[in-house]
Amino acid sequence: MDKRGSAPSPTWSQHPAVHELNTAVWLHEVSRRAGRLVMLGDVPDHEWDAVLPAGIDVVWLMGIWERSEVGRQVALGETSLRESWTDALRDWTEADVLGSPYSIREYVPAQAFGGWDGVDAARAQVGRRGANLMVDWVPNHTGPDSPWIASSQDAFVSGTADDLAADPAAFIQLGDTVLARGRDPYFAPWPDVVQLDPFSATCRGLAVEELRRIAEHVDAVRCDMAMLMLDDIALRTWGQRLGAPPERGYWDDVIMAVRSSHPDFRFVAETYWDREPDLLAAGFDHCYDKRLYDRLTHEGPDAVRDHLRADRDYQRGMVRFLENHDEPRAASTFGPPARYKALATAIATLPGMTLWHDGQAEGRTTFLPVFLGRRPDEAPDADLASFHARLWGVAAAVRNGAWSLCEVTGWPDNGSAAALVAWQWSDSVGHTLVVVNLHGEPADGMAHLDVAAGTHGLHVDLLTGARYPFLGDAVAAQGLYIGLPGWGAQILSARREHTGGDEAASSST
């Protein structure tokens, strides 16, 4: 078997695009198409090609670890979960319920997926296509049957018999031990997991040991609910049960220790509550940009524009998305199709990491709980799939050089320009302007680019192929006129040519 193990991986893209796969569901469907049982080690080449089209350079295999059977049994007894499974998959059976991929018994790849050999083979397949491989890390809890409970009880938040009697939803008895169930400070405890203690030296040591082992086989981890391990949030959740925080934070310690042996290993944080700056400061490479998602979903162009005024280094650390396994399907949330395409164009062409969920490009509308290993069949949206294939390739070509937000202005009798949000990518030979109309009505205005006077050429719309001449003197003086229909978007690319030279346009597609 072709193994990568600790072999060097492809260089990371400066602005990586991630394709998230639900490993269990994907392998189920690959097996069905192949007419045989398929594990990670023998996925056909054309299936890897399909999940790594041009413009995608990271595969996130979500849910590869051995799941907790105790946690699964707890989940099977939860009425609300069973109802959510029926909403997604009306003919589900208990065989379809694998348990939560975030109630982990042990950080060993599930044998149903092929174990470590399968992961190594997957990394080799992904690497041959110039891409990197990412998996999950769950810092704040384990399944109730984790071997750590027997070997390292002091890694967990403990309780007493009195705690259990007073609040049985918040504590669990495992043998002679009472431990706290996992939780965050705002919601009820999760019934299928037990809480790790972020202040515990034992907990941190276990994390470093496991992450170093994982880093021998993959290139990155997406860290679930990473902000819960920050000192102030941990204290808000658990109070004096944790004692005094150590001198260094959990993430500072863990990331530094892992990087001492694996300097190129990447850490990606799922995070909320505006804690991205804290996690970036602690060593994370990228953090979820949930604030941008919320602004695109519920707020207007001004809020989006203000969000994009943040420091450029900060922008490069964001993970932009319209969908992931925790959010509702984008095709349902952001309809009509024109609106979705406009927002996808924005996400794809901003700096930072972009995240695309399995089935998003085909317009799937059924939200699938992560407990299930099978999803309903849905007819793919061929137009949307074609749009994504082009968009991803275009975005990979244009997200180079320096990025900057552009102002778009109107005139006294035109307020529609406020709906237009624009940015520019520039390098020594040209520029690309992205303009998105974040409103359902037509809008026009003058986009103010950084264009040198005395240049001319053609703007090519990389999404449609349309061509527009431009004169650098006029654009530098008054801006470039842009008119878009409701939920319209343009990606205009040009190479700089001095007056008197031959016209040329950059169309890297």
Side-chain angles (χ1 to χ4, degrees):
M1 180 180 292
D2 182 6
K3 295 184 181 181
R4 291 183 61 86
S6 59
S9 293
T11 301
W12 278 85
S13 168
Q14 185 178 6
H15 303 281
V18 179
H19 192 178
E20 178 191 358
L21 301 178
N22 182 319
T23 307
V25 171
W26 179 59
L27 287 177
H28 171 79
E29 294 178 351
V30 170
S31 296
R32 190 171 65 176
R33 288 190 288 268
R36 60 179 176 85
L37 177 65
V38 175
M39 295 190 286
L40 287 171
D42 58 352
V43 172
D45 284 353
H46 70 272
E47 297 284 2
W48 287 113
D49 293 338
V51 299
L52 277 166
I56 297 293
D57 41 32
V58 181
V59 169
W60 169 15
L61 290 177
M62 191 279 289
I64 70 165
W65 305 120
E66 181 183 332
R67 305 183 193 201
S68 167
E69 177 58 25
V70 174
R72 176 177 175 272
Q73 292 301 322
V74 170
L76 283 166
E78 292 287 317
T79 301
S80 61
L81 288 177
R82 297 175 72 93
E83 290 173 350
S84 73
W85 303 337
T86 301
D87 289 341
L89 188 67
R90 300 199 66 82
D91 63 340
W92 69 271
T93 69
E94 288 197 6
D96 296 311
V97 181
L98 307 183
S100 170
Y102 298 99
S103 177
I104 294 171
R105 181 184 182 275
E106 198 166 6
Y107 283 97
V108 175
Q111 286 304 308
F113 304 152
W116 283 118
D117 285 347
V119 172
D120 290 339
R123 191 187 192 194
Q125 288 278 19
V126 169
R128 279 198 290 271
R129 290 161 176 79
N132 298 99
L133 184 64
M134 183 165 74
V135 297
D136 297 293
W137 173 255
V138 183
N140 62 308
H141 55 65
T142 71
D145 46 0
S146 168
W148 291 0
I149 295 171
S151 67
S152 308
Q153 186 178 319
D154 60 332
F156 293 85
V157 176
S158 61
T160 66
D162 289 342
D163 292 325
L164 179 63
D167 193 354
F171 294 88
I172 183 172
Q173 182 154 0
L174 300 169
D176 296 329
T177 302
V178 175
L179 297 178
R181 299 182 194 267
R183 60 167 301 175
D184 74 26
Y186 301 112
F187 294 96
W190 300 300
D192 58 345
V193 292
V194 291
Q195 179 68 41
L196 288 160
D197 178 353
F199 294 175
S200 161
T202 301
C203 172
R204 296 181 182 202
L206 289 168
V208 170
E209 180 183 0
E210 292 290 353
L211 284 165
R212 282 176 171 164
R213 183 180 298 113
I214 291 168
E216 294 292 331
H217 299 272
V218 303
D219 305 305
V221 283
R222 175 267 193 190
C223 299
D224 189 65
M225 300 287 279
M227 75 286 179
L228 293 183
M229 303 303 266
L230 294 171
D231 286 357
D232 65 307
I233 293 180
L235 286 170
R236 189 186 318 157
T237 309
W238 299 105
Q240 295 307 308
R241 291 184 187 276
L242 302 186
E247 183 177 347
R248 294 180 59 83
Y250 172 92
W251 288 117
D252 300 83
D253 263 359
V254 169
I255 293 176
M256 178 185 296
V258 175
R259 290 240 174 91
S260 69
S261 56
H262 297 83
D264 297 325
F265 194 66
R266 294 283 181 104
F267 287 83
V268 177
E270 178 198 22
T271 185
Y272 307 105
W273 313 330
D274 298 322
R275 301 310 296 263
E276 299 88 349
D278 302 294
L279 293 169
L280 291 172
F284 275 91
D285 299 282
H286 298 281
C287 296
Y288 273 32
D289 194 354
K290 180 62 160 56
R291 183 64 64 185
L292 178 61
Y293 174 88
D294 290 340
R295 284 174 169 159
L296 290 171
T297 307
H298 305 295
E299 302 181 43
D302 288 343
V304 173
R305 190 179 298 108
D306 288 344
H307 186 86
L308 297 178
R309 297 188 194 280
D311 176 83
R312 294 180 190 181
D313 287 339
Y314 178 82
Q315 301 272 5
R316 284 193 290 270
M318 295 296 96
V319 181
R320 324 288 194 170
F321 59 89
L322 295 177
E323 180 183 313
N324 57 60
H325 68 260
D326 289 314
E327 304 293 348
R329 284 294 193 175
S332 299
T333 303
F334 298 109
R339 182 189 180 202
Y340 172 79
K341 289 181 179 181
L343 301 187
T345 300
I347 291 292
T349 57
L350 286 169
M353 176 178 278
T354 62
L355 172 59
W356 307 89
H357 187 208
D358 185 24
Q360 179 179 346
E362 292 80 41
R364 282 185 174 266
T365 59
T366 299
F367 175 81
L368 188 76
V370 293
F371 294 81
L372 298 177
R374 178 170 65 92
R375 63 185 173 185
D377 293 331
E378 293 187 56
D381 184 324
D383 175 68
L384 204 56
S386 175
F387 165 78
H388 278 93
R390 183 163 182 81
L391 176 65
W392 290 336
V394 165
V398 305
R399 293 202 304 165
N400 294 293
W403 177 89
S404 58
L405 189 66
C406 299
E407 296 298 326
V408 182
T409 57
W411 39 90
D413 60 346
N414 171 32
S416 70
L420 302 177
V421 181
W423 47 88
Q424 176 180 0
W425 290 91
S426 305
D427 57 26
S428 60
V429 297
H431 66 265
T432 300
L433 173 69
V434 181
V435 188
V436 180
N437 182 359
L438 295 180
H439 196 278
E441 298 296 326
D444 60 352
M446 305 300 292
H448 298 277
L449 291 72
D450 181 14
V451 176
T455 62
H456 76 286
L458 287 173
H459 271 133
V460 175
D461 186 332
L462 299 184
L463 292 177
T464 67
R467 292 169 171 254
Y468 309 93
F470 82 92
L471 296 175
D473 290 339
V475 172
Q478 62 189 28
L480 179 71
Y481 175 78
I482 299 290
L484 292 176
W487 303 119
Q490 283 189 309
I491 304 177
L492 300 174
S493 185
R495 292 190 182 277
R496 295 191 181 96
E497 296 291 339
H498 291 287
T499 301
D502 295 328
E503 289 186 346
S506 85
S507 179
S508 301
T509 59

